[in-house]
Amino acid sequence: MYNKNFLGRAGLTPDFEDGVKTFIQWAKAQHRHMDGQKIRCPCRKWKNTKFGTPDEVSYHLCMREFIPKYYNWTSHGENIVQDYFEAPSIPQVLEEPTPAGHVEGNYPQWGNEQHLD
C-alpha cells in the first residue's frame, strides 16, 4: 500500500488507492481518535498533528503520501503489533549467596570521594 506511484510517476497505483480507502474507513470508525467528523491526517506534512475531513485526508495522502514507517495506525486507534518490535533480551540474574562479612547498607557515601586531576 505504501508504494504510491507507478514507475516514472505516471499515476497512483491501485494498491495505494485501495490502501487509502481502507485507511479512511478504519479512521472514520475510531470515534475516540476523531475530532467530531474529522480524522487525524498522517500525511508527511501534518504528521498526525492536524485533523481534516476524510476527503481532505485522502487528498493529502494521495499528494504527500503517508508519514514514513506509519505501519501501525496508533494515532487512529490501532494497537501496536509486537512483530515490529523485538524485545531486548534481558539476561536472567541468578541470586548468589551473600559473601561472608557483607553488611547490608555498608556502602561508601557518594560525594565524600576525593577527586584527583
Side-chain angles (χ1 to χ4, degrees), residues 38-109:
K38 294 183 177 185
I39 59 177
R40 289 185 185 276
C41 185
C43 74
R44 288 178 178 256
K45 181 177 181 181
W46 285 3
K47 299 177 184 170
N48 286 322
T49 60
K50 294 188 180 183
F51 291 85
T53 66
D55 287 340
E56 289 172 331
V57 172
S58 181
Y59 177 78
H60 283 193
L61 292 174
C62 289
M63 297 304 293
R64 300 180 183 139
E65 300 179 339
F66 281 84
I67 302 167
K69 300 180 182 178
Y70 189 53
Y71 303 120
N72 281 109
W73 301 333
T74 53
S75 292
H76 298 87
E78 188 174 33
N79 292 328
I80 294 175
V81 177
Q82 293 300 319
D83 293 345
Y84 288 104
F85 302 100
E86 287 187 29
S89 65
I90 301 171
Q92 220 175 17
V93 178
L94 301 175
E95 287 190 33
E96 296 182 17
T98 305
H102 173 79
V103 177
E104 193 67 31
N106 189 13
Y107 299 100
Q109 297 297 313

Side-chain angles (χ1 to χ4, degrees), residues 15-30:
D15 285 343
F16 184 82
E17 289 176 332
D18 290 344
V20 169
K21 288 177 188 173
T22 300
F23 170 78
I24 296 295
Q25 289 173 346
W26 167 268
K28 289 188 333 185
Q30 308 308 312

